[in-house]
Amino acid sequence: MRVRGIRKSFGSIEALRGVDLDLWPGECLGLVGDNAAGKSTFTKILAGTYLPDAGTIELDGKEIAYSGPAEARGYGVEMVYQDLSLCDTIDVAGNLYLGREISKGPFLDKAAMQRGAHEMLRKLEIRIPNTALKVAQLSGGQRQSIAIARSAAFDPNVLILDEPTSALAVAEVEAVLALINRLKAKGVAVVLITHRLQDLFRVCDRIAVMYEGTKVAERAIAETNLEDIVRLIVGEGHR
Amino acid sequence: MTLYTERQSGSRLRDFFESHAHVLSIAVFLIACCALFTSINDVFLSPGNLLNLLRQAAPTLIVAVAMTFVITTGGIDLSVGSIIALVNASAALLLRAGWDWPVVSVLMLMLGAVIGLFQGYFVAYQRIPAFIVTLAGLSAIRGIALVLTGGFSILIPPGLFLSIGRGTLFGIPSPALMGLAVALIGFIVLNFTVYGRHVCAVGANAEAARRVGIPARRVVASVYVWSGVAAALAALVVAARLGSGSSNAAVGTELDVIAAVVLGGTSLMGGRGTIVGTVMGALTISVISNGLILSKIDAFYTQIVTGAIILIAIWVNTRIFDQVGSVRRKS
């Protein structure tokens, strides 16, 4: 995936001022930056939730322009949103299959979705006791796990994770990091946004740093260290 | 030594009570109302009165089923009473002009759909709050009915049409059968179809629904079409029962309908709807007004008592639900 010159304004605020980025299959890119640096806006454009004001997105060398998140999903671009985007009043299985329900004609195949949900969670090593529970009854970490499972389970080409580990317990963070490594091995391009810099060094191959709506630096993981990244984030690196 | 044990999953019966607390409590309330009115006047339980009660409840029930969908998406439709009046008056005018009743019926259902589509467009695609759009509809649509009829009641010539409201099948009034059929369809659609799932999803979290590729705006617009069609069907039932059409028909029906839906346990915040609850809510409202008449309470007091009972019922319902369910909502 190749992204060039993405711009996006909200009113008078220029959220993104021309961002370029390349993603390769089987690679994890860490995206870091201060608050309001434009990380979430940028990834939402990749996922089709926002439409860019300018710039191009290419997938496998072909330029694509999507009109909404459904189309991005069609190209295999999946995203875990910071707010998780779950429906509280629908059960776990229903949320996992939201937007691509298994159906017989117009009717939901609830049994198949429950079975599929069990299988999905088992493969990703996520422990949810009962997939018929409403999402509102689950803990923050469990909800986050479900949002991750939903995006990872349907063989994406590009997976964007916006703060996926913020509410997770130690074991669950480990599971997510292991999941990222497994997806990489399958050839998925992963974008990881996180404030836990130590995680970046465990799964990422490259780190891109954003500052005030621009990409200020890109470092291969082998040629950088924690202090360097921190310096780049707060903006001392290029002063 | 530390022992690692798994949490036991709770009793299934308790889970069942918790997840159906709303519907169960309205069921208990409905039975209590029936018992109370029976003890005051034993005519209440006579088959004749019960069938009459079903016949009267039918228009409210038909609209309330569609309203359940609207409220489940987090919207509201205040214009249903006015749509009933307009369709009711238009149907009477056309029938008096000598049109065939099947043609008139189909045209009227289409009129309801068009009005619903018009309002749904403004709610879904222009992002105007449903309350405002349908409040405007409430005023304007009844206004059209007044213009058409000049404010007079229009007599429908006797014919087969009247059997929609007055006929019986196996001894059960046809409006009641229609109401139950609509409720059954609504129940199946809301609980067992992909469309029903999308209605819940849009109501629970519209942005999430859009992000996973559900055509959120089309779903929102569609529920107003259903409420328009349901209101038109109710209008035909009312017109056939009374044998006349009037621009003053169904004043305040929207409030009965919304009360029935909310009484049944559908959340006004959206995302959670129950057709079984709505059926019982609509029956409760009819039972109360019927029972008060049989109890020989002055008709002027009926409205006060109905309002008070609705508030108390929903209050009790909320308290029970908060204690038992304590479902966390995302802010």
Side-chain angles (χ1 to χ4, degrees):
Chain A
M1 190 178 211
R2 176 207 283 272
V3 186
R4 287 289 173 269
I6 296 288
R7 291 178 172 275
K8 178 77 185 174
S9 303
F10 297 104
S12 64
I13 300 164
E14 248 193 307
L16 296 174
R17 303 180 290 167
V19 179
D20 304 341
L21 199 70
D22 290 304
L23 290 173
W24 307 103
E27 177 201 58
C28 178
L29 174 84
L31 195 57
V32 293
D34 214 344
N35 292 329
K39 307 184 296 289
S40 290
T41 309
F42 179 64
T43 48
K44 278 179 185 167
I45 285 173
L46 296 186
T49 307
Y50 292 155
L51 300 179
D53 297 338
T56 58
I57 300 174
E58 280 176 32
L59 198 65
D60 297 331
K62 264 183 293 189
E63 188 169 329
I64 52 174
Y66 17 75
S67 56
E71 238 173 284
R73 238 184 171 189
Y75 284 113
V77 180
E78 292 278 349
M79 174 156 178
V80 175
Y81 294 88
Q82 208 167 0
D83 66 7
L84 304 184
S85 288
L86 298 173
C87 290
D88 277 354
T89 53
I90 295 175
D91 64 9
V92 172
N95 266 287
L96 288 172
Y97 281 103
L98 204 63
R100 47 189 152 209
E101 290 81 3
I102 302 178
S103 58
K104 290 178 185 155
F107 296 102
L108 293 169
D109 191 342
K110 289 190 179 178
M113 291 203 287
Q114 293 289 349
R115 278 198 306 275
H118 267 289
E119 187 62 12
M120 231 185 261
L121 295 175
R122 194 184 56 75
K123 269 192 196 155
L124 301 174
E125 292 166 29
I126 295 168
R127 280 178 17 155
I128 305 278
N130 182 355
T131 51
L133 283 177
K134 300 272 183 285
V135 164
Q137 293 166 283
L138 301 179
S139 78
Q142 287 174 319
R143 293 154 62 90
Q144 207 158 31
S145 306
I146 289 164
I148 294 169
R150 178 169 73 186
S151 54
F154 289 94
D155 294 326
N157 296 322
V158 179
L159 176 63
I160 302 158
L161 303 164
D162 193 352
E163 294 277 356
T165 51
S166 59
L168 295 186
V170 182
E172 287 163 327
V173 171
E174 292 303 317
V176 170
L177 297 181
L179 171 68
I180 292 174
N181 278 326
R182 262 180 288 147
L183 290 171
K184 274 167 61 180
K186 280 206 290 185
V188 179
V190 182
V191 178
L192 175 66
I193 298 181
T194 185
H195 286 300
R196 293 166 49 100
L197 298 179
Q198 68 272 32
D199 291 351
L200 292 175
F201 285 89
R202 294 188 42 203
V203 292
C204 292
D205 305 289
R206 274 185 304 146
I207 296 179
V209 184
M210 291 188 69
Y211 183 82
E212 294 277 321
T214 53
K215 189 180 78 176
V216 290
E218 206 178 303
R219 295 275 190 276
I221 210 83
E223 51 193 55
T224 187
N225 55 42
L226 202 56
E227 290 89 81
D228 185 32
I229 295 293
V230 171
R231 219 155 33 78
L232 287 166
I233 292 172
V234 296
E236 288 167 10
H238 55 113
R239 229 169 245 166
Chain B
M1 200 180 91
T2 318
L3 269 177
Y4 286 89
T5 53
E6 297 262 323
R7 233 185 245 130
Q8 299 296 309
S9 57
S11 106
R12 296 218 163 227
L13 190 66
R14 179 134 190 247
D15 281 353
F16 177 82
F17 276 120
E18 285 181 5
S19 55
H20 296 88
H22 265 132
V23 173
L24 291 172
S25 71
I26 182 66
V28 170
F29 186 71
L30 175 59
I31 292 168
C33 281
C34 291
L36 175 70
F37 289 128
T38 309
S39 70
I40 294 174
N41 186 339
D42 50 18
V43 175
F44 178 81
L45 262 192
S46 68
N49 185 53
L50 287 182
L51 290 179
N52 193 29
L53 198 154
L54 280 179
R55 193 199 301 269
Q56 282 168 351
T60 311
L61 176 59
I62 291 170
V63 184
V65 169
M67 185 70 82
T68 307
F69 281 79
V70 175
I71 293 181
T72 302
T73 65
I76 195 133
D77 190 346
L78 299 173
S79 70
V80 286
S82 297
I83 296 178
I84 292 178
L86 175 60
V87 171
N88 184 299
S90 314
L93 283 168
L94 290 178
L95 286 166
R96 199 180 58 172
W99 291 49
D100 277 339
W101 72 267
V103 179
V104 172
S105 302
V106 172
L107 274 180
M108 289 303 105
L109 294 180
M110 282 165 59
L111 175 63
V114 169
I115 295 173
L117 186 64
F118 182 79
Q119 299 193 115
Y121 168 78
F122 280 101
V123 176
Y125 291 90
Q126 299 301 318
R127 305 279 173 100
I128 302 174
F131 185 87
I132 304 296
V133 173
T134 58
L135 188 62
L138 170 117
S139 170
I141 295 167
R142 194 177 291 279
I144 299 171
L146 278 164
V147 170
L148 286 179
T149 60
F152 295 107
S153 182
I154 291 153
L155 215 60
I156 296 174
L160 210 53
F161 177 75
L162 298 183
S163 64
I164 295 178
R166 296 175 182 174
T168 56
L169 195 67
F170 308 120
I172 301 170
S174 49
L177 289 174
M178 266 188 255
L180 290 176
V182 169
L184 187 66
I185 294 170
F187 178 76
I188 292 170
V189 170
L190 187 61
N191 291 298
F192 300 110
T193 68
V194 176
Y195 173 76
R197 171 57 54 83
H198 288 177
V199 167
C200 291
V202 167
N205 191 341
E207 180 60 19
R210 190 180 78 88
R211 285 173 182 172
V212 296
I214 294 172
R217 286 189 290 193
R218 212 184 317 152
V219 170
V220 170
S222 71
V223 295
Y224 293 91
V225 175
W226 303 137
S227 76
V229 172
L233 182 61
L236 293 176
V237 170
V238 172
R241 195 179 75 209
L242 301 178
S244 69
S246 163
S247 52
N248 292 322
V251 174
T253 296
E254 56 280 346
L255 299 181
D256 277 351
V257 169
I258 293 165
V261 175
V262 176
L263 210 50
T266 294
S267 164
L268 275 172
M269 316 297 279
R272 182 165 50 76
T274 153
I275 299 287
V276 177
T278 295
V279 171
M280 285 194 281
L283 288 179
T284 304
I285 291 196
S286 295
V287 164
I288 290 171
S289 67
N290 177 285
L292 289 176
I293 294 168
L294 289 183
S295 312
K296 303 195 177 63
I297 292 174
D298 189 333
F300 294 150
Y301 287 98
T302 313
Q303 291 201 15
I304 303 173
V305 176
T306 309
I309 289 178
I310 289 169
L311 182 63
I312 291 168
I314 291 175
W315 179 51
V316 170
N317 204 338
T318 316
R319 302 303 300 204
I320 292 173
F321 190 65
D322 280 351
Q323 274 177 11
V324 189
S326 64
V327 165
R328 183 163 45 95
R329 277 202 70 85
K330 215 168 61 176
S331 55

